[in-house]
Amino acid sequence: MKELADVALDAARRRGASYADVRLSRNTTEVVSTRERRVENVASADSNGFGVRVLVDGAWGFAASNKVDKAEIERVAARAVEIARANRAIQRRRIALVPTERYPNARWSTPVERDPFTVPLSEKVDHLLKINEAALGVRGPGPIFVSSRMMFVKEEKYFASTEGSYIEQTLIRSWPSFTVTSVNSRTGNFEQRASFGSPVGKGYEVVAEYNLIEEAPKAVEQAIKKHEAKPVEPGRRDLVLHPTNLWLTIHESIGHPTELDRILGYEANYAGTSFVTLAMLGKFRFASPVVNVRADKTQRFALATCGWDDDGVKTTEWDLIREGILVDLQTVRDNAAVIGHRRSHGSSYAENWGAIAFQRMPNVNLLPASGNQRIGIEELIADVEDGVYIEGDGSYSIDQQRYNFQFGGQVFWEIKKGKLGSMLRDVAYQGRTPDFWNSCDAVGSRDFYMLGGAFYDGKGEPGQSNAVSHGCPPARFRRVNIINTGRRV
């Protein structure tokens, strides 16, 4: 691999590149899907190739190929230099890179107990069908349907740069899940509930850890109960959010607006820019003092975790929001230089060998409350006179600057006088990002911290996907605008 990488680097240097890097990678994916008592789909894919990125006279150039031999690598490196020279004609600002250390022989792998790609297909199918059978064993007011699936991804990549780094990494991500549907034969309505477990940076061991066979009947029971749930009364109510719901709100309203490329206007095509400005750093009260948010590319089992990013920067963790104040942003080597930072936070990623690396979200986490006090759902609900409790993520919308939003969920309960009451339906909460986070008056303790996350988070043009986790405890928000989504039968 080093010999092939050096061909690209030498070719780029000879043609005038001041900097060059090359990524040789292999991406392997597998999806196994079932429905009721049958297998619906088994799909696998394997993609192998390389991409060369160069900096020539302050402009980027990139080219890639799936034919991996020395002659093709030489040709593609030359093509990347040609593209950089063409880009220079329209480059508004000369690109510079903040420094990074040299890593001449570095390796990192996702810590897995069992590589999912070595597990027999029969074992995976058997487990999924057992999940389905457990769900089908629950009786409802009509038919029960269930689909279950396992998704696995492995990235094997080798990065090298003209700065002397040679980095080999293997990243593995896994996601077993299901969705159950209850149909009411009398009304013709249907209700659903999906499994609460998120994708994680683990191996096949997560299948046993999630125990979806046990969760499936409970999910069916909740889906059945949703048929009789009463519509929510709209108005300003207190809100308690389980981590299975809150992670998505963190992702959309904190994760995306703190990406520096959105703030600078470099990224606007895919879901817009950001309401955050550089002038806010160190001064803007993004949230209440109980809110502390940390970006982390080193977090064990999280989806965006790796040893080095795709700029060759050693990954780390850093505060984004400290006691409610916005203190830092997500950066990569080129945009860190734009705002005068001396180091990159290591947030560069490319989804495969044929995609150019650019800024992607690290794991962004709401930290649990400090101290030894035990604060869970019960403790948060106990101080709510009139409110709503939500589990599971659902549909959502958010504007192009990540400022105005609306989030739903999967399962909703009324809170009255500090106690959990009746199940609700048609619930969504609305807010403006800083107003919402400033309404947070309590977060749970470490005992109740969980990882949520997205297997596919889109960004860029051409679009790319990144996997990212968001850890958090449950949290309470005061006087949030609760709306009735208006579904009527």
Side-chain angles (χ1 to χ4, degrees), residues 37 132-145 181-185 216-225 227:
R37 296 181 172 94
N132 297 358
E133 203 62 46
L136 294 171
V138 181
R139 288 192 172 187
I144 301 297
F145 300 97
T181 303
S182 166
V183 179
N184 188 313
S185 297
K218 298 176 183 177
V220 175
E221 290 167 3
Q222 288 186 340
I224 292 169
K225 194 173 181 180
H227 287 290

Side-chain angles (χ1 to χ4, degrees), residues 37-347:
R37 296 181 172 94
R38 65 184 185 272
V39 177
E40 281 212 313
N41 187 44
V42 177
S44 60
D46 189 272
S47 180
N48 184 54
F50 71 96
V52 180
R53 185 176 60 160
V54 302
L55 199 57
V56 179
D57 294 336
W60 282 121
F62 176 78
S65 173
N66 63 355
K67 182 182 178 183
V68 185
D69 61 40
K70 291 182 179 180
E72 180 70 353
I73 291 173
E74 178 96 22
R75 185 193 70 81
V76 168
R79 180 63 173 160
V81 171
E82 291 174 2
I83 291 170
R85 290 205 167 100
N87 287 339
R88 183 180 56 184
I90 57 171
Q91 187 78 39
R92 294 182 180 181
R93 179 194 291 268
R94 185 182 179 90
I95 292 167
L97 304 178
V98 294
T100 187
E101 287 80 6
R102 173 177 174 266
Y103 301 97
N105 186 24
R107 295 188 178 188
W108 189 91
S109 295
T110 301
V112 301
E113 295 177 16
R114 193 177 183 193
D115 186 335
F117 293 93
T118 67
V119 176
L121 178 60
S122 59
E123 182 176 338
K124 297 169 183 173
V125 168
D126 287 347
H127 191 88
L128 291 174
L129 293 178
K130 287 178 182 177
I131 294 169
N132 297 358
E133 203 62 46
L136 294 171
V138 181
R139 288 192 172 187
I144 301 297
F145 300 97
V146 56
S147 60
S148 59
R149 66 208 63 84
M150 294 183 186
M151 303 174 65
F152 305 105
V153 173
K154 179 189 285 188
E155 295 182 38
E156 301 167 280
K157 53 188 178 181
Y158 187 88
F159 171 93
S161 76
T162 50
E163 295 172 327
S165 287
Y166 295 87
I167 302 168
E168 186 175 358
Q169 300 190 86
T170 300
L171 314 180
I172 292 178
R173 301 186 285 274
S174 304
W175 189 19
S177 63
F178 68 75
T179 300
V180 298
T181 303
S182 166
V183 179
N184 188 313
S185 297
R186 178 178 58 83
T187 64
N189 292 332
F190 68 89
E191 296 289 350
Q192 291 186 319
R193 211 276 248 169
S195 53
F196 285 156
S198 286
V200 287
K202 289 186 176 183
Y204 194 77
E205 61 273 10
V206 74
V207 172
E209 292 171 8
Y210 278 1
N211 196 0
L212 300 186
I213 296 173
E214 182 178 318
E215 184 184 356
K218 298 176 183 177
V220 175
E221 290 167 3
Q222 288 186 340
I224 292 169
K225 194 173 181 180
K226 286 168 75 172
H227 287 290
E228 306 301 326
K230 64 180 183 180
V232 67
E233 288 293 329
R236 290 205 169 269
R237 318 271 289 279
D238 291 346
L239 186 63
V240 176
L241 299 180
H242 191 268
T244 53
N245 178 272
L246 185 55
W247 77 263
L248 182 58
T249 308
I250 294 168
H251 175 88
E252 299 293 345
S253 66
I254 297 179
H256 279 308
T258 55
E259 294 171 307
L260 180 55
D261 59 346
R262 292 190 188 277
I263 295 167
L264 294 174
Y266 295 170
E267 170 63 29
N269 288 311
Y270 201 131
T273 55
S274 173
F275 75 91
V276 173
T277 66
L278 294 177
M280 292 179 177
L281 278 177
K283 296 179 288 186
F284 180 63
R285 179 155 291 285
F286 198 111
S288 70
V290 303
V291 174
N292 293 278
V293 177
R294 183 168 296 163
D296 191 347
K297 292 274 287 184
T298 67
Q299 185 176 14
R300 191 170 174 83
F301 305 132
L303 292 165
T305 294
C306 56
W308 288 263
D309 79 343
D310 285 347
D311 282 348
V313 175
K314 188 80 176 74
T315 52
T316 186
E317 59 179 310
W318 68 99
D319 289 340
L320 294 172
I321 297 171
R322 188 181 305 126
E323 296 182 353
I325 302 299
L326 179 69
V327 295
D328 209 342
L329 303 168
Q330 306 165 40
T331 62
V332 293
R333 293 185 69 187
D334 55 5
N335 64 25
V338 172
I339 63 172
H341 283 197
R342 300 177 65 182
R343 311 289 293 176
S344 163
H345 282 316
S347 299

